[in-house]
Amino acid sequence: MRLGVFGGTFSPPHLGHLAAARVFAGALCLDQLLIGPAAQAPLRDLPAQVSVQDRVALCRLTFP
């Protein structure tokens, strides 16, 4: 089984994230792609505008 991980803050997730995930999974012939929203962006000093719990819920809707 070929497994991939696609992470980011996804604040909020959008169609560009979905397109990137599909290209990534297709190019690497992945069987499954795990989506992981990060709690805090590593290169930003400001906290995320949307809670982690809300971003997880939005990711579940964006990445079926």
Side-chain angles (χ1 to χ4, degrees):
M1 171 185 248
R2 294 182 58 86
L3 179 66
V5 178
F6 183 51
T9 52
F10 303 117
S11 187
H14 52 73
L15 294 178
H17 293 125
L18 181 58
R22 286 181 174 160
V23 168
F24 175 63
L28 296 176
C29 300
L30 299 178
D31 298 309
Q32 187 174 11
L33 181 62
L34 301 176
I35 307 298
Q40 174 68 38
L43 301 177
R44 293 185 190 161
D45 292 333
L46 300 174
Q49 300 291 324
V50 181
S51 73
V52 174
Q53 294 83 3
D54 287 343
R55 287 185 282 128
V56 168
L58 288 168
C59 283
R60 287 187 174 135
L61 294 171
T62 304
F63 305 98

mmCIF file with all atom_site columns, all heavy atoms in Angstrom, residues 17-39:
data_model
loop_
_atom_site.group_PDB
_atom_site.id
_atom_site.type_symbol
_atom_site.label_atom_id
_atom_site.label_alt_id
_atom_site.label_comp_id
_atom_site.label_asym_id
_atom_site.label_entity_id
_atom_site.label_seq_id
_atom_site.pdbx_PDB_ins_code
_atom_site.Cartn_x
_atom_site.Cartn_y
_atom_site.Cartn_z
_atom_site.occupancy
_atom_site.B_iso_or_equiv
_atom_site.pdbx_formal_charge
_atom_site.auth_seq_id
_atom_site.auth_comp_id
_atom_site.auth_asym_id
_atom_site.auth_atom_id
_atom_site.pdbx_PDB_model_num
ATOM 1   N N   . HIS A 1 17 ? -6.033  23.600 -2.413 1.00 0.00 ? 17 HIS A N   1
ATOM 2   C CA  . HIS A 1 17 ? -5.514  22.495 -1.600 1.00 0.00 ? 17 HIS A CA  1
ATOM 3   C C   . HIS A 1 17 ? -6.012  21.159 -2.146 1.00 0.00 ? 17 HIS A C   1
ATOM 4   O O   . HIS A 1 17 ? -5.249  20.190 -2.234 1.00 0.00 ? 17 HIS A O   1
ATOM 5   C CB  . HIS A 1 17 ? -5.966  22.623 -0.132 1.00 0.00 ? 17 HIS A CB  1
ATOM 6   C CG  . HIS A 1 17 ? -5.386  23.781 0.604  1.00 0.00 ? 17 HIS A CG  1
ATOM 7   N ND1 . HIS A 1 17 ? -6.167  24.713 1.236  1.00 0.00 ? 17 HIS A ND1 1
ATOM 8   C CD2 . HIS A 1 17 ? -4.107  24.155 0.811  1.00 0.00 ? 17 HIS A CD2 1
ATOM 9   C CE1 . HIS A 1 17 ? -5.396  25.609 1.811  1.00 0.00 ? 17 HIS A CE1 1
ATOM 10  N NE2 . HIS A 1 17 ? -4.136  25.296 1.557  1.00 0.00 ? 17 HIS A NE2 1
ATOM 11  N N   . LEU A 1 18 ? -7.290  21.114 -2.501 1.00 0.00 ? 18 LEU A N   1
ATOM 12  C CA  . LEU A 1 18 ? -7.869  19.883 -3.034 1.00 0.00 ? 18 LEU A CA  1
ATOM 13  C C   . LEU A 1 18 ? -7.200  19.497 -4.354 1.00 0.00 ? 18 LEU A C   1
ATOM 14  O O   . LEU A 1 18 ? -6.844  18.333 -4.562 1.00 0.00 ? 18 LEU A O   1
ATOM 15  C CB  . LEU A 1 18 ? -9.373  20.053 -3.233 1.00 0.00 ? 18 LEU A CB  1
ATOM 16  C CG  . LEU A 1 18 ? -10.136 18.847 -3.768 1.00 0.00 ? 18 LEU A CG  1
ATOM 17  C CD1 . LEU A 1 18 ? -9.982  17.634 -2.859 1.00 0.00 ? 18 LEU A CD1 1
ATOM 18  C CD2 . LEU A 1 18 ? -11.599 19.195 -3.947 1.00 0.00 ? 18 LEU A CD2 1
ATOM 19  N N   . ALA A 1 19 ? -6.980  20.473 -5.229 1.00 0.00 ? 19 ALA A N   1
ATOM 20  C CA  . ALA A 1 19 ? -6.322  20.200 -6.510 1.00 0.00 ? 19 ALA A CA  1
ATOM 21  C C   . ALA A 1 19 ? -4.891  19.701 -6.296 1.00 0.00 ? 19 ALA A C   1
ATOM 22  O O   . ALA A 1 19 ? -4.458  18.740 -6.939 1.00 0.00 ? 19 ALA A O   1
ATOM 23  C CB  . ALA A 1 19 ? -6.326  21.452 -7.381 1.00 0.00 ? 19 ALA A CB  1
ATOM 24  N N   . ALA A 1 20 ? -4.172  20.337 -5.386 1.00 0.00 ? 20 ALA A N   1
ATOM 25  C CA  . ALA A 1 20 ? -2.794  19.915 -5.095 1.00 0.00 ? 20 ALA A CA  1
ATOM 26  C C   . ALA A 1 20 ? -2.770  18.490 -4.547 1.00 0.00 ? 20 ALA A C   1
ATOM 27  O O   . ALA A 1 20 ? -1.912  17.683 -4.925 1.00 0.00 ? 20 ALA A O   1
ATOM 28  C CB  . ALA A 1 20 ? -2.142  20.879 -4.111 1.00 0.00 ? 20 ALA A CB  1
ATOM 29  N N   . ALA A 1 21 ? -3.703  18.171 -3.665 1.00 0.00 ? 21 ALA A N   1
ATOM 30  C CA  . ALA A 1 21 ? -3.769  16.825 -3.086 1.00 0.00 ? 21 ALA A CA  1
ATOM 31  C C   . ALA A 1 21 ? -4.043  15.783 -4.164 1.00 0.00 ? 21 ALA A C   1
ATOM 32  O O   . ALA A 1 21 ? -3.429  14.710 -4.175 1.00 0.00 ? 21 ALA A O   1
ATOM 33  C CB  . ALA A 1 21 ? -4.839  16.772 -2.002 1.00 0.00 ? 21 ALA A CB  1
ATOM 34  N N   . ARG A 1 22 ? -4.943  16.103 -5.069 1.00 0.00 ? 22 ARG A N   1
ATOM 35  C CA  . ARG A 1 22 ? -5.265  15.155 -6.150 1.00 0.00 ? 22 ARG A CA  1
ATOM 36  C C   . ARG A 1 22 ? -4.078  14.938 -7.081 1.00 0.00 ? 22 ARG A C   1
ATOM 37  O O   . ARG A 1 22 ? -3.784  13.810 -7.481 1.00 0.00 ? 22 ARG A O   1
ATOM 38  C CB  . ARG A 1 22 ? -6.471  15.647 -6.930 1.00 0.00 ? 22 ARG A CB  1
ATOM 39  C CG  . ARG A 1 22 ? -7.760  15.471 -6.168 1.00 0.00 ? 22 ARG A CG  1
ATOM 40  C CD  . ARG A 1 22 ? -8.947  15.943 -6.962 1.00 0.00 ? 22 ARG A CD  1
ATOM 41  N NE  . ARG A 1 22 ? -10.186 15.638 -6.255 1.00 0.00 ? 22 ARG A NE  1
ATOM 42  C CZ  . ARG A 1 22 ? -11.330 16.232 -6.493 1.00 0.00 ? 22 ARG A CZ  1
ATOM 43  N NH1 . ARG A 1 22 ? -11.414 17.157 -7.431 1.00 0.00 ? 22 ARG A NH1 1
ATOM 44  N NH2 . ARG A 1 22 ? -12.401 15.901 -5.806 1.00 0.00 ? 22 ARG A NH2 1
ATOM 45  N N   . VAL A 1 23 ? -3.387  16.014 -7.440 1.00 0.00 ? 23 VAL A N   1
ATOM 46  C CA  . VAL A 1 23 ? -2.201  15.895 -8.306 1.00 0.00 ? 23 VAL A CA  1
ATOM 47  C C   . VAL A 1 23 ? -1.120  15.090 -7.600 1.00 0.00 ? 23 VAL A C   1
ATOM 48  O O   . VAL A 1 23 ? -0.500  14.198 -8.177 1.00 0.00 ? 23 VAL A O   1
ATOM 49  C CB  . VAL A 1 23 ? -1.681  17.288 -8.722 1.00 0.00 ? 23 VAL A CB  1
ATOM 50  C CG1 . VAL A 1 23 ? -0.315  17.199 -9.367 1.00 0.00 ? 23 VAL A CG1 1
ATOM 51  C CG2 . VAL A 1 23 ? -2.676  17.960 -9.652 1.00 0.00 ? 23 VAL A CG2 1
ATOM 52  N N   . PHE A 1 24 ? -0.880  15.403 -6.337 1.00 0.00 ? 24 PHE A N   1
ATOM 53  C CA  . PHE A 1 24 ? 0.120   14.721 -5.520 1.00 0.00 ? 24 PHE A CA  1
ATOM 54  C C   . PHE A 1 24 ? -0.175  13.219 -5.452 1.00 0.00 ? 24 PHE A C   1
ATOM 55  O O   . PHE A 1 24 ? 0.694   12.386 -5.714 1.00 0.00 ? 24 PHE A O   1
ATOM 56  C CB  . PHE A 1 24 ? 0.109   15.358 -4.124 1.00 0.00 ? 24 PHE A CB  1
ATOM 57  C CG  . PHE A 1 24 ? 0.990   14.716 -3.094 1.00 0.00 ? 24 PHE A CG  1
ATOM 58  C CD1 . PHE A 1 24 ? 2.356   14.684 -3.237 1.00 0.00 ? 24 PHE A CD1 1
ATOM 59  C CD2 . PHE A 1 24 ? 0.426   14.176 -1.945 1.00 0.00 ? 24 PHE A CD2 1
ATOM 60  C CE1 . PHE A 1 24 ? 3.164   14.109 -2.269 1.00 0.00 ? 24 PHE A CE1 1
ATOM 61  C CE2 . PHE A 1 24 ? 1.226   13.601 -0.973 1.00 0.00 ? 24 PHE A CE2 1
ATOM 62  C CZ  . PHE A 1 24 ? 2.591   13.561 -1.137 1.00 0.00 ? 24 PHE A CZ  1
ATOM 63  N N   . ALA A 1 25 ? -1.426  12.867 -5.117 1.00 0.00 ? 25 ALA A N   1
ATOM 64  C CA  . ALA A 1 25 ? -1.806  11.463 -4.996 1.00 0.00 ? 25 ALA A CA  1
ATOM 65  C C   . ALA A 1 25 ? -1.708  10.732 -6.336 1.00 0.00 ? 25 ALA A C   1
ATOM 66  O O   . ALA A 1 25 ? -1.238  9.594  -6.395 1.00 0.00 ? 25 ALA A O   1
ATOM 67  C CB  . ALA A 1 25 ? -3.217  11.342 -4.430 1.00 0.00 ? 25 ALA A CB  1
ATOM 68  N N   . GLY A 1 26 ? -2.116  11.407 -7.404 1.00 0.00 ? 26 GLY A N   1
ATOM 69  C CA  . GLY A 1 26 ? -2.052  10.786 -8.722 1.00 0.00 ? 26 GLY A CA  1
ATOM 70  C C   . GLY A 1 26 ? -0.637  10.604 -9.227 1.00 0.00 ? 26 GLY A C   1
ATOM 71  O O   . GLY A 1 26 ? -0.285  9.557  -9.763 1.00 0.00 ? 26 GLY A O   1
ATOM 72  N N   . ALA A 1 27 ? 0.198   11.625 -9.040 1.00 0.00 ? 27 ALA A N   1
ATOM 73  C CA  . ALA A 1 27 ? 1.576   11.564 -9.532 1.00 0.00 ? 27 ALA A CA  1
ATOM 74  C C   . ALA A 1 27 ? 2.384   10.479 -8.827 1.00 0.00 ? 27 ALA A C   1
ATOM 75  O O   . ALA A 1 27 ? 3.262   9.865  -9.426 1.00 0.00 ? 27 ALA A O   1
ATOM 76  C CB  . ALA A 1 27 ? 2.255   12.917 -9.349 1.00 0.00 ? 27 ALA A CB  1
ATOM 77  N N   . LEU A 1 28 ? 2.066   10.234 -7.561 1.00 0.00 ? 28 LEU A N   1
ATOM 78  C CA  . LEU A 1 28 ? 2.810   9.232  -6.788 1.00 0.00 ? 28 LEU A CA  1
ATOM 79  C C   . LEU A 1 28 ? 2.084   7.891  -6.709 1.00 0.00 ? 28 LEU A C   1
ATOM 80  O O   . LEU A 1 28 ? 2.536   6.986  -6.001 1.00 0.00 ? 28 LEU A O   1
ATOM 81  C CB  . LEU A 1 28 ? 3.084   9.764  -5.376 1.00 0.00 ? 28 LEU A CB  1
ATOM 82  C CG  . LEU A 1 28 ? 3.985   10.993 -5.321 1.00 0.00 ? 28 LEU A CG  1
ATOM 83  C CD1 . LEU A 1 28 ? 4.114   11.496 -3.897 1.00 0.00 ? 28 LEU A CD1 1
ATOM 84  C CD2 . LEU A 1 28 ? 5.351   10.696 -5.911 1.00 0.00 ? 28 LEU A CD2 1
ATOM 85  N N   . CYS A 1 29 ? 0.968   7.782  -7.427 1.00 0.00 ? 29 CYS A N   1
ATOM 86  C CA  . CYS A 1 29 ? 0.176   6.540  -7.451 1.00 0.00 ? 29 CYS A CA  1
ATOM 87  C C   . CYS A 1 29 ? -0.148  6.055  -6.032 1.00 0.00 ? 29 CYS A C   1
ATOM 88  O O   . CYS A 1 29 ? 0.048   4.884  -5.699 1.00 0.00 ? 29 CYS A O   1
ATOM 89  C CB  . CYS A 1 29 ? 0.896   5.447  -8.237 1.00 0.00 ? 29 CYS A CB  1
ATOM 90  S SG  . CYS A 1 29 ? 1.211   5.885  -9.944 1.00 0.00 ? 29 CYS A SG  1
ATOM 91  N N   . LEU A 1 30 ? -0.646  6.985  -5.207 1.00 0.00 ? 30 LEU A N   1
ATOM 92  C CA  . LEU A 1 30 ? -0.938  6.647  -3.820 1.00 0.00 ? 30 LEU A CA  1
ATOM 93  C C   . LEU A 1 30 ? -2.260  5.910  -3.708 1.00 0.00 ? 30 LEU A C   1
ATOM 94  O O   . LEU A 1 30 ? -3.217  6.209  -4.413 1.00 0.00 ? 30 LEU A O   1
ATOM 95  C CB  . LEU A 1 30 ? -1.003  7.920  -2.965 1.00 0.00 ? 30 LEU A CB  1
ATOM 96  C CG  . LEU A 1 30 ? 0.275   8.752  -2.895 1.00 0.00 ? 30 LEU A CG  1
ATOM 97  C CD1 . LEU A 1 30 ? 0.034   10.006 -2.051 1.00 0.00 ? 30 LEU A CD1 1
ATOM 98  C CD2 . LEU A 1 30 ? 1.422   7.941  -2.322 1.00 0.00 ? 30 LEU A CD2 1
ATOM 99  N N   . ASP A 1 31 ? -2.310  4.968  -2.785 1.00 0.00 ? 31 ASP A N   1
ATOM 100 C CA  . ASP A 1 31 ? -3.544  4.268  -2.473 1.00 0.00 ? 31 ASP A CA  1
ATOM 101 C C   . ASP A 1 31 ? -4.380  5.077  -1.479 1.00 0.00 ? 31 ASP A C   1
ATOM 102 O O   . ASP A 1 31 ? -5.600  5.009  -1.488 1.00 0.00 ? 31 ASP A O   1
ATOM 103 C CB  . ASP A 1 31 ? -3.254  2.890  -1.872 1.00 0.00 ? 31 ASP A CB  1
ATOM 104 C CG  . ASP A 1 31 ? -2.512  1.995  -2.843 1.00 0.00 ? 31 ASP A CG  1
ATOM 105 O OD1 . ASP A 1 31 ? -2.971  1.868  -3.997 1.00 0.00 ? 31 ASP A OD1 1
ATOM 106 O OD2 . ASP A 1 31 ? -1.472  1.436  -2.451 1.00 0.00 ? 31 ASP A OD2 1
ATOM 107 N N   . GLN A 1 32 ? -3.704  5.816  -0.618 1.00 0.00 ? 32 GLN A N   1
ATOM 108 C CA  . GLN A 1 32 ? -4.388  6.621  0.390  1.00 0.00 ? 32 GLN A CA  1
ATOM 109 C C   . GLN A 1 32 ? -3.550  7.860  0.685  1.00 0.00 ? 32 GLN A C   1
ATOM 110 O O   . GLN A 1 32 ? -2.323  7.807  0.718  1.00 0.00 ? 32 GLN A O   1
ATOM 111 C CB  . GLN A 1 32 ? -4.585  5.817  1.664  1.00 0.00 ? 32 GLN A CB  1
ATOM 112 C CG  . GLN A 1 32 ? -5.429  6.499  2.707  1.00 0.00 ? 32 GLN A CG  1
ATOM 113 C CD  . GLN A 1 32 ? -5.718  5.596  3.897  1.00 0.00 ? 32 GLN A CD  1
ATOM 114 O OE1 . GLN A 1 32 ? -5.145  4.537  4.050  1.00 0.00 ? 32 GLN A OE1 1
ATOM 115 N NE2 . GLN A 1 32 ? -6.622  6.039  4.741  1.00 0.00 ? 32 GLN A NE2 1
ATOM 116 N N   . LEU A 1 33 ? -4.238  8.983  0.902  1.00 0.00 ? 33 LEU A N   1
ATOM 117 C CA  . LEU A 1 33 ? -3.576  10.237 1.252  1.00 0.00 ? 33 LEU A CA  1
ATOM 118 C C   . LEU A 1 33 ? -4.177  10.746 2.551  1.00 0.00 ? 33 LEU A C   1
ATOM 119 O O   . LEU A 1 33 ? -5.378  11.004 2.629  1.00 0.00 ? 33 LEU A O   1
ATOM 120 C CB  . LEU A 1 33 ? -3.766  11.280 0.140  1.00 0.00 ? 33 LEU A CB  1
ATOM 121 C CG  . LEU A 1 33 ? -3.114  12.635 0.362  1.00 0.00 ? 33 LEU A CG  1
ATOM 122 C CD1 . LEU A 1 33 ? -1.592  12.502 0.468  1.00 0.00 ? 33 LEU A CD1 1
ATOM 123 C CD2 . LEU A 1 33 ? -3.490  13.590 -0.754 1.00 0.00 ? 33 LEU A CD2 1
ATOM 124 N N   . LEU A 1 34 ? -3.350  10.857 3.573  1.00 0.00 ? 34 LEU A N   1
ATOM 125 C CA  . LEU A 1 34 ? -3.796  11.375 4.860  1.00 0.00 ? 34 LEU A CA  1
ATOM 126 C C   . LEU A 1 34 ? -3.651  12.890 4.860  1.00 0.00 ? 34 LEU A C   1
ATOM 127 O O   . LEU A 1 34 ? -2.634  13.421 4.420  1.00 0.00 ? 34 LEU A O   1
ATOM 128 C CB  . LEU A 1 34 ? -2.960  10.783 5.999  1.00 0.00 ? 34 LEU A CB  1
ATOM 129 C CG  . LEU A 1 34 ? -2.969  9.261  6.123  1.00 0.00 ? 34 LEU A CG  1
ATOM 130 C CD1 . LEU A 1 34 ? -2.024  8.825  7.234  1.00 0.00 ? 34 LEU A CD1 1
ATOM 131 C CD2 . LEU A 1 34 ? -4.370  8.752  6.375  1.00 0.00 ? 34 LEU A CD2 1
ATOM 132 N N   . ILE A 1 35 ? -4.672  13.583 5.367  1.00 0.00 ? 35 ILE A N   1
ATOM 133 C CA  . ILE A 1 35 ? -4.676  15.040 5.441  1.00 0.00 ? 35 ILE A CA  1
ATOM 134 C C   . ILE A 1 35 ? -4.479  15.422 6.892  1.00 0.00 ? 35 ILE A C   1
ATOM 135 O O   . ILE A 1 35 ? -5.209  14.951 7.773  1.00 0.00 ? 35 ILE A O   1
ATOM 136 C CB  . ILE A 1 35 ? -6.014  15.616 4.917  1.00 0.00 ? 35 ILE A CB  1
ATOM 137 C CG1 . ILE A 1 35 ? -6.334  15.093 3.523  1.00 0.00 ? 35 ILE A CG1 1
ATOM 138 C CG2 . ILE A 1 35 ? -6.005  17.136 4.981  1.00 0.00 ? 35 ILE A CG2 1
ATOM 139 C CD1 . ILE A 1 35 ? -5.348  15.468 2.447  1.00 0.00 ? 35 ILE A CD1 1
ATOM 140 N N   . GLY A 1 36 ? -3.488  16.285 7.173  1.00 0.00 ? 36 GLY A N   1
ATOM 141 C CA  . GLY A 1 36 ? -3.199  16.670 8.550  1.00 0.00 ? 36 GLY A CA  1
ATOM 142 C C   . GLY A 1 36 ? -3.079  18.160 8.737  1.00 0.00 ? 36 GLY A C   1
ATOM 143 O O   . GLY A 1 36 ? -2.060  18.748 8.372  1.00 0.00 ? 36 GLY A O   1
ATOM 144 N N   . PRO A 1 37 ? -4.123  18.807 9.290  1.00 0.00 ? 37 PRO A N   1
ATOM 145 C CA  . PRO A 1 37 ? -4.008  20.239 9.569  1.00 0.00 ? 37 PRO A CA  1
ATOM 146 C C   . PRO A 1 37 ? -3.067  20.492 10.754 1.00 0.00 ? 37 PRO A C   1
ATOM 147 O O   . PRO A 1 37 ? -3.166  19.825 11.782 1.00 0.00 ? 37 PRO A O   1
ATOM 148 C CB  . PRO A 1 37 ? -5.439  20.677 9.883  1.00 0.00 ? 37 PRO A CB  1
ATOM 149 C CG  . PRO A 1 37 ? -6.215  19.443 10.127 1.00 0.00 ? 37 PRO A CG  1
ATOM 150 C CD  . PRO A 1 37 ? -5.458  18.297 9.572  1.00 0.00 ? 37 PRO A CD  1
ATOM 151 N N   . ALA A 1 38 ? -2.162  21.435 10.572 1.00 0.00 ? 38 ALA A N   1
ATOM 152 C CA  . ALA A 1 38 ? -1.213  21.797 11.628 1.00 0.00 ? 38 ALA A CA  1
ATOM 153 C C   . ALA A 1 38 ? -1.871  22.772 12.603 1.00 0.00 ? 38 ALA A C   1
ATOM 154 O O   . ALA A 1 38 ? -2.708  23.587 12.221 1.00 0.00 ? 38 ALA A O   1
ATOM 155 C CB  . ALA A 1 38 ? 0.029   22.443 11.016 1.00 0.00 ? 38 ALA A CB  1
ATOM 156 N N   . ALA A 1 39 ? -1.483  22.689 13.848 1.00 0.00 ? 39 ALA A N   1
ATOM 157 C CA  . ALA A 1 39 ? -2.039  23.589 14.869 1.00 0.00 ? 39 ALA A CA  1
ATOM 158 C C   . ALA A 1 39 ? -1.569  25.023 14.665 1.00 0.00 ? 39 ALA A C   1
ATOM 159 O O   . ALA A 1 39 ? -2.318  25.968 14.892 1.00 0.00 ? 39 ALA A O   1
ATOM 160 C CB  . ALA A 1 39 ? -1.663  23.096 16.252 1.00 0.00 ? 39 ALA A CB  1
#
